[in-house]
């Protein structure tokens, strides 16, 4: 077996894990999910899911990876059995599929960077029509998502620890600064207050089973949980890292940036009269309006810088997604890192083509299947299955695995290595109760409800209440 990588220190790991967590999930997906699921009530449930359900699972993933020092498949197999290894394998496959569409959306962000910095996007009369045209345009999308995958592969080739650690520390604070500028400027626009009300004043009457479920699955996606990204990164950290503190810091950073994205988007959505539930185009349709309002020149600069930084945030996430199957191949087979990276990046890029073409370019992919009374494009189907259902299901299996197969005492012993006060602490009790009972039950129940509702149009809750 080849020498495995290692993060240089605690900060290196936190930077890489936060880099994985912060990405399109925060700035693209979180606002449109919040908009489509009722605003403030969704935000509240999201926060609960992130800190109460997801954070313990993050601790579990990191501890598993560090103990086994292997990829997700190897980790489940070593700490459990060959059969459990299959769970790890499914996680690895899900990671690859998620990367395939994530890379396409990253290409859109890259295209927007170029169109705003050097093109005519801000002079468009209708940003929504532009977006619809843009994502159906095969030429640009093919080129930019290819560029994005090549960049991702180049970084993963050099080893996760080197490039990512350094750049994340510089560029993430810059992204936060630009977002703060946009938040403050956005608040001065007419009707901004309605956006803030939608985002921050909960209307619990709007809450449905779907609101809970989408908040849960969004928290998994945003925190990079449920398919082994953090098992993989955990396998590169040192024994004296404090896993609980690191997980808390990553969760807080990620949540803060998602929260800021909402503060940035909703005033714009309302000031431009955009429908908040309009779906995946929300960010791409509402943001150009604020850059236009800033005026030519400054709008182009700030807009270009914003989308460039968004691309960077996406890049630290695509890197973590590609690293998962790369770690699997290099751990389990005698294949060099270079061959694994090139082979997998090519494969996953090709896997992304149907998603890319399903945004208006190819008719049958754009109306791929019907369920829940609507027709869905290929990319939406992939997101529904591998992200919205797959990640919480992965989290459920990780909880059950740690609590009932690997066992809590082994888990505690691992976490205690960098955190001698852990055994017997309140932290330990909380994590243990969450992983043993609360998370499996809550996630299982929600999965049942949502699968019945989404695919079979049966509302289980109406039978229960
Ligand atoms: N957390 C990333 C985001 O919010 O954009 C997406 C992601 C990255 C999901 C890595 C899963 C993963 F393993």
């Amino acid at each position: 077996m080849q020498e495995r990588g290692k993060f240089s220190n605690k900060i290196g790991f936190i930077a890489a894990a936060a880099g994985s967590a912060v990405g399109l999930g925060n700035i693209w997906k979180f606002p449109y999910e919040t908009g489509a699921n009722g605003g403030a009530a969704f935000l509240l449930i999201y926060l609960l899911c992130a800190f109460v359900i997801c954070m313990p699972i993050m601790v579990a993933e990191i501890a598993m990876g560090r103990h086994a020092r292997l990829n997700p498949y190897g980790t489940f197999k070593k700490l459990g059995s060959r059969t459990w290894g299959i769970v790890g394998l499914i996680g690895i496959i899900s990671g690859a599929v998620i990367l395939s569409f994530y890379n396409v959306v990253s290409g859109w962000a890259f295209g927007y960077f170029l169109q705003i910095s050097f093109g005519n996007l801000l002079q468009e009369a209708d940003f929504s029509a532009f977006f619809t045209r843009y994502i159906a345009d095969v030429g640009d999308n093919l080129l930019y998502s290819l560029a994005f995958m090549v960049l991702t592969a180049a970084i993963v080739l050099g080893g996760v620890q080197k490039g990512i650690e350094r750049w994340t520390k510089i560029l993430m604070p810059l992204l936060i600064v630009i977002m703060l500028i946009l938040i403050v400027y956005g608040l001065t626009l007419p009707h901004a207050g309605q956006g803030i009300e939608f985002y921050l004043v909960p209307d619990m009457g709007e809450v449905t089973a779907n609101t809970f479920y989408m908040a849960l699955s969004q928290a998994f996606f945003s925190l990079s949980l449920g398919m082994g990204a953090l098992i993989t990164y955990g396998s590169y950290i040192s024994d004296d890292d404090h896993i609980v503190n690191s997980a808390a810091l990553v969760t807080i950073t990620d949540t803060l940036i998602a929260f800021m994205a909402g503060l940035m988007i909703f005033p714009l959505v309302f000031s431009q009269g955009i429908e908040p539930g309009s779906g995946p185009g929300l960010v791409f349709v509402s943001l150009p309006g604020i850059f236009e309002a800033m005026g030519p020149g400054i709008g182009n600069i700030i807009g270009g810088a914003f989308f460039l930084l968004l691309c960077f945030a996406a890049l630290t996430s695509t890197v973590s997604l590609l690293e998962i199957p790369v770690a699997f191949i290099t751990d389990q087979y005698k294949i060099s890192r270079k061959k694994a990276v090139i082979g997998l990046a090519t494969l996953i890029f090709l896997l992304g083509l149907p998603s890319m073409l399903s945004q208006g370019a190819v008719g049958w992919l754009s109306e791929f299947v019907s369920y829940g009374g609507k027709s869905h494009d290929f990319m939406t189907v992939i997101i529904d299955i591998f992200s919205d259902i797959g990640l919480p299901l992965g989290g459920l299996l990780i909880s059950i695995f740690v609590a009932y197969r690997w066992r809590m005492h082994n888990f505690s012993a691992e976490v205690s290595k960098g955190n001698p006060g852990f055994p017997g602490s309140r932290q330990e009790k909380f994590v243990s109760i969450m992983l043993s009972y609360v998370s499996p039950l809550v996630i299982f129940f929600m999965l049942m409800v949502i699968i019945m509702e989404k695919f079979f149009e049966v509302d289980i809750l109406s039978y229960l209440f």
Side-chain angles (χ1 to χ4, degrees), residues 207-222:
V207 172
T208 62
N210 202 50
T211 320
F212 274 97
Y213 190 78
M214 292 317 291
L216 179 73
S217 66
Q218 172 59 24
F220 271 96
F221 184 81
S222 192

Side-chain angles (χ1 to χ4, degrees), residues 20-26 102 221-224 227 229 317 320-321 324:
S20 167
V22 175
L24 297 171
N26 306 60
Y102 198 96
F221 184 81
S222 192
L223 292 167
S224 304
M227 48 4 114
S317 301
S320 72
L321 282 161
I324 308 170

Side-chain angles (χ1 to χ4, degrees), residues 246-329:
S246 303
L249 211 61
V250 171
T251 308
I252 291 170
T253 310
D254 186 68
T255 308
L256 202 71
I257 295 190
F259 178 71
M260 285 174 60
L263 276 186
M264 175 178 82
I265 296 295
F266 288 109
L268 305 183
V269 165
F270 280 79
S271 91
Q272 296 170 46
I274 298 167
E275 163 55 40
S278 58
L282 195 68
V283 169
F284 291 95
V285 172
S286 62
L287 271 174
I290 189 172
F291 304 132
E292 185 195 30
M294 289 176 159
I298 181 84
N300 295 75
I301 293 171
I302 303 248
F306 175 83
F307 276 102
L308 189 62
L309 287 167
L310 177 58
C311 286
F312 176 77
L315 190 62
T316 51
S317 301
T318 52
V319 162
S320 72
L321 282 161
L322 184 58
E323 180 65 23
I324 308 170
V326 167
F328 166 65
I329 299 277

Side-chain angles (χ1 to χ4, degrees), residues 23-86:
L24 297 171
N26 306 60
I27 291 164
W28 163 68
K29 200 166 186 287
F30 175 77
Y32 87 72
E33 295 288 4
T34 306
N37 290 291
F42 179 89
L43 172 66
L44 207 67
I45 299 167
Y46 175 82
L47 293 176
L48 210 70
C49 291
F51 286 96
V52 179
I53 298 202
C54 289
M55 207 163 74
I57 295 178
M58 187 184 288
V59 175
E61 278 203 28
I62 300 172
M64 284 169 67
R66 185 171 74 179
H67 192 77
R69 298 233 172 263
L70 284 170
N71 64 87
Y73 166 77
T75 295
F76 271 102
K77 195 169 143 215
K78 183 168 170 182
L79 309 183
S81 63
R82 200 171 263 279
T83 315
W84 274 105
I86 297 172

Side-chain angles (χ1 to χ4, degrees), residues 225-245:
L225 288 180
M227 48 4 114
L230 290 172
I231 295 179
T232 309
Y233 274 12
S235 75
Y236 303 142
I237 67 175
S238 103
D239 278 345
D240 43 57
D241 273 15
H242 194 304
I243 298 181
V244 177
N245 283 357

